[in-house]
Every structure is written in structure tokens, then in C-alpha cells.
Amino acid sequence: MKISRRDLIKVSMAAGAAVTVPSILRAQAAGADPKTIRMVKTGDLQVFDPIFTTANITADHGAAIYDTLFSVDSKFAPHPQMVEKWNLSDDKKTYTFKLRDGLVWHDGSPVTAVDCVASIRRWGQVHPGGQLIVELASDISRVDDKTFTIALKEPLGLLIDILADLTPPCLFIMREKDARHSATEQVTTNIGSGPFKFNEALAKPGASFTYDRNEKYVPRSEVADGLAGGKVVRVDRVIWENIADQQTSLAALQTGEIDFLQGPPGDLYSVIENDANLQLEVLNKGGADICLRMNFLQKPFDNVKARQALLHLIDQEALLRAMAPNPGFGRPVTSIFGNNTPMTNDENTGWYKKGGNPEKARQLFSEAGYAGEKVVILQPTNVATFSDAAQIVAAALRKIGVNVELAPSDWGGLVARRANKGPVENGGWSIFITDEIDYSLANPLGTPFLMASGEKAWYGWPKNDKYEALRANWAKVSTLGERKLLARKMQHVWWAFVGDIRLGQIVSPVARRKALTGLIGMPQIIPMWNMQKR
């Protein structure tokens, strides 16, 4: 009988995985502190500025050390967070906000209205809804140390929802001197007013990052509900361990060296389920849509025919078998608004075909005038889902005669490289694979994935003026029926110019030791408050 390498790994893990765990972690576990939680996140934290990037790991970092004006509860309704109270003028154009007591930066200085104004303006450079607020604003200004206003040229009923939106980049409030930076320039300090402090002294880039409870943080009095309510920290310290190898991470979880593993390999779920000390838990029940972004600025995907070719080439079922080996955790997705949102629809989805259509893809590449240009696919080797998908897409392209090169790196390297708008010969790229939470795709004023404003858009920089004109109407329609109709029109145009490619939808449980409780299940953000360890 032939035994696969994966089967061998499963057996070794089940039998006693401690032999694969780094000795430093075994030593740490020997004196495990119930007030310290160790986590392994998906990818590695290399960009610390949660306005500069949309990376989820950076958003989690932001949620730990910064605070927000508003937050959403478990039903996605907005609630004040840093704000004590707010009101709207009779003409519905001027919002006045007063900050609550007890807001202090980690350096000991008070949070003021000036900080909020600067933070809103910086965030408004990059967040789709924030851009709309800044565009409509006649003034965003301080009234006194604890009060500021947003005055609009015309009413915007969605303003509070936009301020509370949890789709990265979220509106994390920074010190005014940090928020003075352009959104395209990274803030390198890590001083917020949130429930955790970033421990600079213990930071070990590439190995671990440490967050300590902010003893001066004053939580709201309400019970935690989603990301709203009181952010009560129940431990002294949280450490993010960077263990790139997933088998090693799972072994560390089994032996107690870590308490939490984000994104365990799907074909090892059974190992976790059969371990009496471990638990699989789905925090984001709506799942995520895996998305392939193409570089509109460079050949070959500057040509719509080449983008259409890739749309026809994709075999979602094959990709899902790799990304979600357990069929209960994955399914195809053909709507740009996801599978589970009120805006989900089937407009202009005739391109979808089980198994894909390689011959149609070959024909369209030929019509695009493809002349053998190198297609570089960024491959994050420490994120199994994206890495596997990149290899499958590369193989499919090679089969129809496309010159493909995989560019392996860790996720942090991909995040840095995807900002390069140049040709592949100068360190640019053609394709990278990422995901977006299904919930976020209901709101084209929240997610950057649904922008098509060229170089002002998200990575890949899709451009289509007709689509953008439709998206601009989103804030102007008021009923669900009107938004559903507008969503169909937007989707029709999107799939005609092919703003991106969807590879399938997956639900990814986290793995934790059963002693770790109190995790808050929400899309996008994995907060560290409320957690505790028995």
C-alpha cells in the first residue's frame, strides 16, 4: 500500500506532534501563563498602518491598538464607540459628534477632536465610502477639544454606517501628527488609544509580536456585541507567533505551545476534530470569496479580451477541491456581490461553466493579440489557500499556451509587491489572489474590491467609467428594491469589462484549544478583547 506524504503527516501529528515544534515554543509552553494567549495568524504582519493597506492581519493589528468612532454589532447595526453622543441638523447636512470621557493615547496624551478630524481626512483618501464623505463635505472641523462636525453639501443618510464600516481600511483613529501623513505614506509608530498596547521592546519581526493590555483603557459600559459595546480585555498579554509551516503550527496547537491557529489546512480538519483538546470554530459564518486580481495597467490584462479569457478559463470546482477539501466548506460564486447578501444576483453570468472553457479562453487570448508576454502570478507560500490557487491557475494558463511564472514569497512580500504598478520586468506583477468577506460585498461604498476608478482603485486598478457612474448612485437610492436593481446593472457592466475574477467561496474555521474561550465571531476582524483562557 502506498502512503502519501500528507497521510504520513497526519499519522505523525496524531501520534505526537511535539517533535516538530520549535524548541523555543516548547520551552515557552512549559511555563504557560493563563493570562497570556499565543496565536498564529494567517500570513505575517509586515505593514502596521491599517489605513495604508487592506490586509486583514493589519486590520486585526489596528483593532487591537486603535479605537473607532463607531462600531457594528453582531447584526451589523452601527453603535457609538469613541463617540459619546451625536446629532444631525434639521436640514440633515451637519453631523456633530462629542467624544466620550476617558480617551487617552498610549503615550499619555488625551484624544482630541483634532485627532478625529485628521484621521477622517486621511481615511477618506482610500476608503470608498470615506472618499464619498470627503467629496460631499463642505467642512470637517473641530468645535472644541471633544467636539467636531462633518458638514455636507447634501444629505448622506449612510454616513454613520460608512463611519462604522468594518471593511478594511477601517476608520481607526490615530494621533493628529500621525494622521497628517498621506494615506500612501506608511505611519510607522504604533501608538493608539485602543485596548491593547503594541510592545515595541518585544517585537521580533519575522518571529513574533507582543500586545499588552492597556491598563488605562476605559471600556464602554455596554456588553460586548460583535465589535460594539465594551472592549474588555481579560488577559495580560497576547503574542502573535509567526510559524510559516502549517503542519508545525498545528503540532504546536496540539501540544499547547499556542492557543489559536487561524486558517488550518482543510485536509487536516479531521485531526483537529479527533483531538479532545481542540475545537474548530467558524468565526465568519458568511465565508469569504476568493478573488483573482489582474493588473489593468500592464500587458496582457490591459486588454479586455485577455481578462475575458481568464474569466472563461477558471474551473471553480477544481479550485474549490484544493482550497476547501471538505465540500461542506466551499461552493462556486458568480455574483460580484457574493453568495449571501441581499444584492446577490445572476445578471450577465453566462460565462460560468463547470470545468471552465479552455478553448474559449485560448480563442480570446488570441483575439487579444497575446504575443507570449510573461504573466507573473504572485504566490504567498505561507497562505495555503492562495498558494494552491495560484499554482492551479498557473497550470491552466500554461495548458493554453500562456507564458507563466510563479513568484513565491510570504504574504508580507506579496502585500509589498502588489503596490508596484510597473511591468513585470521592473518588479511588477500580472495576477495575485486574495479574498474578501462575503458580507462586505453587499456594499460598494465599503469594499475597495468593487471600485473601478483606475489608478484610484484598489490593487489591479480596474477602470470603467460606466460602472463608476452606476456606483456613484448607490448613496442616492434609498430603498432595498432600488439597490437590488442598481446592483444588477452594476454587475452586468462588471462582468463585461471583467473587473476581477471570482474563484469560489469558502468558509474557513479557526482552530483553538478548548481552554481558550470568548472569541468574538465577526467578518473581517478577529478582535482580541473578551478572550480568556482557563
Side-chain angles (χ1 to χ4, degrees):
M1 183 178 84
K2 183 177 180 181
I3 300 177
S4 71
R5 179 175 176 274
R6 179 65 81 181
D7 289 336
L8 204 57
I9 290 170
K10 290 181 182 178
V11 171
S12 67
M13 283 186 159
V19 293
T20 68
V21 181
S23 59
I24 186 170
L25 286 184
R26 291 202 301 273
Q28 290 166 345
D33 180 356
K35 288 293 186 177
T36 296
I37 292 173
R38 297 182 182 274
M39 309 175 76
V40 172
K41 308 284 287 182
T42 297
D44 54 329
L45 181 64
Q46 293 192 17
V47 179
F48 297 85
D49 181 348
I51 306 301
F52 179 83
T53 182
T54 58
N56 282 353
I57 192 168
T58 305
D60 287 351
H61 165 79
I65 70 169
Y66 297 108
D67 213 340
T68 57
L69 297 174
F70 292 84
S71 297
V72 294
D73 64 20
S74 55
K75 295 181 180 178
F76 309 114
H79 296 269
Q81 181 55 43
M82 296 173 74
V83 169
E84 177 185 304
K85 61 182 180 180
W86 64 277
N87 60 65
L88 178 60
S89 62
D90 291 341
D91 65 2
K92 301 189 184 304
K93 293 182 182 180
T94 301
Y95 290 80
T96 302
F97 304 93
K98 182 179 179 181
L99 298 175
R100 65 186 178 93
D101 294 333
L103 301 179
V104 179
W105 296 112
H106 297 159
D107 64 6
S109 58
V111 177
T112 69
V114 171
D115 301 311
C116 300
V117 169
S119 296
I120 291 169
R121 290 189 178 280
R122 183 170 189 257
W123 163 80
Q125 296 174 36
V126 290
H127 184 277
Q131 290 175 344
L132 178 64
I133 291 174
V134 171
E135 179 185 336
L136 292 180
S138 58
D139 189 32
I140 304 174
S141 61
R142 168 191 178 276
V143 175
D144 57 39
D145 282 350
K146 295 184 67 174
T147 311
F148 66 96
T149 62
I150 300 177
L152 303 172
K153 302 166 192 171
E154 59 185 69
L156 178 60
L158 293 174
L159 186 136
I160 300 299
D161 296 86
I162 294 172
L163 295 179
D165 186 60
L166 58 77
T167 305
C170 309
L171 178 51
F172 293 117
I173 301 302
M174 298 180 170
R175 298 179 301 175
E176 188 265 345
K177 63 182 176 182
D178 295 326
R180 281 201 304 258
H181 290 72
S182 164
T184 59
E185 179 187 357
Q186 289 191 54
V187 171
T188 55
T189 56
N190 289 288
I191 296 176
S193 65
F196 286 89
K197 289 183 176 181
F198 184 75
N199 191 320
E200 297 279 359
L202 295 182
K204 300 174 184 176
S208 67
F209 293 109
T210 298
Y211 299 83
D212 294 327
R213 180 167 61 89
N214 178 11
E215 296 180 354
K216 295 182 180 179
Y217 183 76
V218 179
R220 294 188 68 90
S221 60
E222 301 93 336
V223 174
D225 180 11
L227 300 181
K231 298 179 180 179
V232 178
V233 178
R234 305 184 187 281
V235 295
D236 294 334
R237 175 169 286 180
V238 177
I239 301 173
W240 291 4
E241 303 283 1
N242 184 17
I243 306 176
D245 181 78
Q246 290 186 310
Q247 284 76 39
T248 303
S249 297
L250 183 50
L253 185 70
Q254 287 185 302
T255 52
E257 283 78 7
I258 62 172
D259 305 291
F260 173 98
L261 173 58
Q262 185 179 1
D267 56 350
L268 294 177
Y269 288 169
S270 61
V271 175
I272 299 167
E273 290 171 328
N274 290 327
D275 190 313
N277 295 310
L278 304 185
Q279 180 77 47
L280 283 175
E281 183 173 353
V282 176
L283 299 179
N284 172 25
K285 294 177 172 57
D289 294 7
I290 310 301
C291 179
L292 183 151
R293 301 289 289 191
M294 300 162 287
N295 189 339
F296 272 58
L297 304 181
Q298 303 293 337
K299 290 183 178 297
F301 299 114
D302 60 341
N303 189 300
V304 66
K305 293 282 189 180
R307 300 194 298 271
Q308 290 170 346
L310 199 51
L311 186 64
H312 284 276
L313 178 66
I314 293 303
D315 178 353
Q316 288 200 30
E317 285 74 19
L319 283 155
L320 286 167
R321 285 193 293 272
M323 297 187 298
N326 184 326
F329 288 106
R331 60 175 172 144
V333 58
T334 59
S335 176
I336 66 172
F337 297 97
N339 273 335
N340 307 303
T341 78
M343 306 307 150
T344 301
N345 68 84
D346 61 358
E347 184 72 23
N348 198 14
T349 55
W351 48 266
Y352 173 74
K353 180 181 178 181
K354 285 188 177 182
N357 191 341
E359 288 310 309
K360 179 69 172 178
R362 190 193 304 271
Q363 172 195 330
L364 286 166
F365 264 115
S366 177
E367 293 176 8
Y370 177 69
E373 296 92 353
K374 185 186 292 183
V375 170
V376 172
I377 302 178
L378 304 184
Q379 179 194 8
T381 54
N382 60 339
V383 184
T385 299
F386 302 159
S387 180
D388 291 346
Q391 293 177 74
I392 293 169
V393 171
L397 282 166
R398 290 182 183 123
K399 284 182 181 179
I400 62 170
V402 177
N403 177 17
V404 177
E405 178 181 293
L406 285 166
S409 72
D410 57 22
W411 178 251
L414 184 151
V415 168
R417 184 169 177 177
R418 71 185 180 184
N420 188 330
K421 295 180 178 179
V424 295
E425 295 79 12
N426 294 335
W429 56 276
S430 310
I431 289 170
F432 77 91
I433 294 166
T434 183
D435 64 5
E436 176 63 306
I437 301 304
D438 198 77
Y439 145 84
S440 298
L441 293 168
N443 180 14
L445 298 182
T447 175
F449 279 67
L450 293 180
M451 297 174 68
S453 50
E455 295 200 38
K456 294 181 180 179
W458 200 60
Y459 304 108
W461 310 286
K463 180 173 175 57
N464 187 275
D465 294 341
K466 183 178 180 181
Y467 172 86
E468 279 296 294
L470 290 168
R471 191 174 73 89
N473 288 326
W474 196 263
K476 299 175 183 178
V477 298
S478 57
T479 70
L480 180 60
E482 288 174 315
R483 288 209 173 97
K484 285 185 174 182
L485 180 60
L486 182 57
R488 294 190 72 90
K489 292 178 179 178
M490 291 170 66
Q491 181 166 300
H492 185 92
V493 177
W494 184 275
W495 287 138
F497 81 92
V498 194
D500 64 9
I501 310 285
R502 304 301 159 93
L503 306 184
Q505 182 192 66
I506 62 174
V507 174
S508 300
V510 302
R512 62 173 174 84
R513 294 192 65 81
K514 290 182 178 178
L516 176 64
T517 61
L519 295 175
I520 295 174
M522 289 290 285
Q524 298 286 17
I525 304 293
I526 300 179
M528 299 192 299
W529 59 87
N530 206 57
M531 297 190 303
Q532 56 187 330
K533 187 167 66 171
R534 297 194 301 269

